[in-house]
Amino acid sequence: MPVSRLKFEALPHAIFLQRVSGPQAATTLEARLGQGAFLALRLVDLLARDRAPVSDDAFHYQWVATDRFCRELRATATEGAHVHGIAASASDAYRLGEVRLVAPALFAYAHFLEAELRLDEALDVLTTLLVVVGSRLAAHDVVAAQLRFARVQRKLNRFDEAEAAYAEAGETAALAGDRYSALLSRIGQANTVLGRGNLAEGERRLRGILADARAHREQDAEARAEHGIAVALYQMGQSSDGIPHAWRAFELYEEDDSRLRALGDLGIMLLTLGDAVGAERALSEVVRRGGSQETVSNAIIELMHCASNRRDHVGFARWRERAEAVEADMPPNILADFYLKQGIGQARFGKFRRAETLMTRALELAGGAGLHEFEFRIERIRSGLAQCEQVMAREAEAAAPPMVQTDELREVAESLAQLVS
């Protein structure tokens, strides 16, 4: 369905009430945050133009009840501040007769939820933004909301919906003369093609976008295209070709977390080529600089993986402990990856029974979150544990093949060494 035709199905915002499950869950902070989000977004619904207007008394009564509940959440967590901010913005919008006042709070909350990988909840908030406020937003804000909506759909592997939303955002951007957003729409569509598994076509599109971004000096779009090409080449098993693109993306990005994501992907690619030292340099720099929880958690897990790759028991244990310290905050995909790579590490150290237990847990986490491609990969690795001892014996007898070096790879290695020195 095009974004412009969005409407709520069944009970709006019911996704937030799913946090309340089990006899004791209603008293947890997580459940209260979900209830607060539900109440705040229901208050925003009263601002919709196509619904019967509510009386001042009715709005005031609902606002007072919502504010009382959400105000208590404001100091408990970052999400609580977002939820209370939406309720307060809705009150201001109603009082001043300007619904656009609620848009920044909705944008910010959707961004927070996406970063936490609460993707269905982020989609609900973006739907609220587009349905309630969309027709009264400036064109560039409409495009930004459509692009964010499309990206969340893509992350949920809802590729048809993502492509429709990206296309609509591109049309809106073109009509508004917004060249940068039009490029972002094309990048999003190319990434959707990659998500469907058509890597060659996705790479081809991204190279065309890269040329256009360079021609028009759109640096951020150029960085995103470079990053996308790097990921496509990595997924095609061509890490040595992808690494220079990942490094150029790192150099071009201006926003810190995007730079760190590119650096983290660079580290993963270096490890696939057997360059554990270079991988650890890149990933350690990600951890040192910080960033979003997702970016840093991924880097810590990959550093644990690097240590087991070098058969470094102490390093493996140290990074595993770092990961365990933030395990409770990991979303399902990262948590499943953590257990998988713990299992791989234990297998590398010859502890096969422990490895199988950890991989089984990773499989359960991936299955529970609907990460079906990840399930397949975990199952494939776990089923190979029986042959692992023979493989390890062969590895011990054979020297590790030298990493193939090119001028571009040497240049990246030198730049990376200077970065972390």
Side-chain angles (χ1 to χ4, degrees), residues 36 39 65 124 136 200 204 219 235 246 286 300 310 315 350-351 360 362:
L39 292 171
D124 183 277
R136 283 167 279 186
R204 186 191 68 77
Q219 182 172 321
Q235 291 176 341
V286 173
I300 290 171
R310 292 189 294 102
K351 299 177 180 177
T360 299

Side-chain angles (χ1 to χ4, degrees), residues 108-129:
Y109 189 36
H111 179 76
F112 169 83
L113 291 170
E114 183 185 347
E116 295 294 310
L117 293 181
R118 293 187 175 274
L119 299 179
D120 283 310
E121 293 179 354
L123 209 58
D124 183 277
V125 176
L126 291 166
T127 300
T128 304
L129 175 64

Side-chain angles (χ1 to χ4, degrees), residues 37-100:
F38 175 82
L39 292 171
L41 292 167
R42 292 292 283 173
L43 190 67
V44 172
D45 292 343
L46 298 180
L47 304 173
R49 180 178 289 177
D50 61 351
R51 63 171 294 142
V54 297
S55 68
D56 290 348
D57 286 344
F59 186 91
H60 179 72
Y61 175 80
Q62 188 164 334
W63 149 247
V64 169
T66 301
D67 180 66
R68 184 183 302 117
F69 189 93
C70 294
R71 187 176 293 273
E72 295 178 358
L73 298 172
R74 185 173 57 184
T76 61
T78 301
E79 184 174 3
H82 280 294
V83 168
H84 184 260
I86 289 172
S89 297
S91 176
D92 291 341
Y94 182 84
R95 178 171 51 84
L96 299 172
E98 183 51 83
V99 70
R100 286 181 295 182

